[in-house]
Amino acid sequence: VFPERVLAGDVPNRDFLHLYGPGSLWALAGWFELVGTTLAAERTFGLLQHLGIIFGLFTLALPWGRRVATACGLMGVLLVITPIGLSALAWNGGVALAVWGVVASLAGARRVEVGGRGGRALLVLGGFLHGLALLFRPDLVVAVALAAVALLWGRRRRELWAPLLVGAAAGVAPVLVHLALAGLGPSVEGMFLQPV
């Protein structure tokens, strides 16, 4: 219902209470605009979010072998799909974006350290995906920050931190549009105070 209201011109936190970031509503509203507003469309979007988490976990575990990666992917299936079905939730979209942000950031850091090409671009992409994750769920800031610290632990080189931060700033920047439309007070109350 919320993405339908966005398509009708309503603004989250101004016209209706929404406890998460606007990114999930914008993404789902865009999807509905593209394929139509149906329950099947919403469930398909939810499936894509779930697959993002599952294959992201699989990809992160690949360095330990295909068996471990497959086990991680299957565990992801059990943890993600079983409790909620195929609902398109802000949490699932945010987690999928954050997991792929870690995948891209790890690949970028490895390339930069060995002098390979494209490492900085992957770091920017990783930061951008983390920023988008925060646009879906601002409370993921703890997980995103811990992932960045773990990724860059002991690496004080600016060529790793700077692209990651630039990408994150670009990914979360659309929240400024939301703040301009909904207002600072209603946004803070809806996204931070009401959920608590």
Side-chain angles (χ1 to χ4, degrees), residues 44-134:
T44 301
F45 194 85
L47 175 63
L48 294 173
Q49 289 178 325
H50 291 358
L51 291 174
I53 296 171
I54 293 162
F55 285 108
L57 293 173
F58 176 85
T59 303
L60 281 175
L62 266 176
W64 289 276
R66 288 203 178 275
R67 285 187 181 150
V68 171
T70 301
C72 287
L74 290 173
M75 185 63 75
V77 169
L78 293 175
L79 292 173
V80 172
I81 294 180
T82 304
I84 58 166
L86 296 178
S87 297
L89 301 175
W91 180 255
N92 295 328
V95 170
L97 289 165
V99 168
W100 281 101
V102 171
V103 170
S105 299
L106 275 171
R110 285 188 198 121
R111 286 190 187 181
V112 166
E113 288 183 334
V114 298
R117 300 183 68 181
R120 290 178 59 83
L122 282 169
L123 284 167
V124 170
L125 175 63
F128 183 74
L129 293 171
H130 281 136
L132 289 179
L134 298 178

Side-chain angles (χ1 to χ4, degrees), residues 138-194:
D139 54 335
L140 279 171
V141 69
V142 175
V144 166
L146 288 174
V149 167
L151 170 73
L152 301 172
W153 187 264
R155 300 175 177 133
R156 302 205 187 277
R157 297 176 19 197
R158 181 183 170 135
E159 61 264 21
L160 296 178
W161 280 98
L164 196 61
L165 291 175
V166 166
V172 79
V175 79
L176 297 173
V177 173
H178 178 69
L179 293 175
L181 293 172
L184 181 61
S187 296
V188 169
E189 183 168 338
M191 290 190 286
F192 299 103
L193 300 179
Q194 287 289 341

